[in-house]
């Protein structure tokens, strides 16, 4: 039974995760408002636009 529980515990999906670097998010938000670009058009080096948008909300 112990092996079964270990296998089941390892197969559960992991929710959430760590946030990105705060500086990267702040820079992406500043870039968005400085340039007036839409969220979806943020350059890739800022990471996911969804992450920055959700952190701002």
């Amino acid at each position: 039974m112990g092996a079964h529980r270990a296998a089941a515990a390892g197969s559960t999906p992991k929710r959430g995760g760590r946030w990105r670097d705060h500086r990267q998010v702040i820079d992406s938000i500043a870039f968005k408002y400085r340039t007036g670009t839409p969220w979806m058009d943020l350059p890739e080096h800022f990471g996911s636009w969804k992450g920055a948008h959700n952190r701002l909300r």
Side-chain angles (χ1 to χ4, degrees), residues 24-57:
Q24 185 182 28
V25 174
I26 301 268
D27 288 346
S28 63
I29 293 169
F31 178 85
K32 187 256 186 281
Y33 284 106
R34 186 172 57 243
T35 62
T37 188
W39 283 110
M40 293 179 68
D41 293 338
L42 285 176
E44 285 186 19
H45 69 270
F46 288 124
S48 169
W49 66 268
K50 291 179 185 179
H53 179 262
N54 288 338
R55 293 266 300 269
L56 181 64
R57 292 191 307 141

Side-chain angles (χ1 to χ4, degrees), residues 11-12 23 28 32 52:
S11 65
T12 57
R23 181 179 300 249
S28 63
K32 187 256 186 281

Side-chain angles (χ1 to χ4, degrees), residues 2-24:
H4 179 66
R5 283 188 187 178
S11 65
T12 57
K14 188 175 181 181
R15 289 188 177 170
R18 297 212 179 258
W19 281 1
R20 289 196 324 250
D21 180 31
H22 294 297
R23 181 179 300 249
Q24 185 182 28

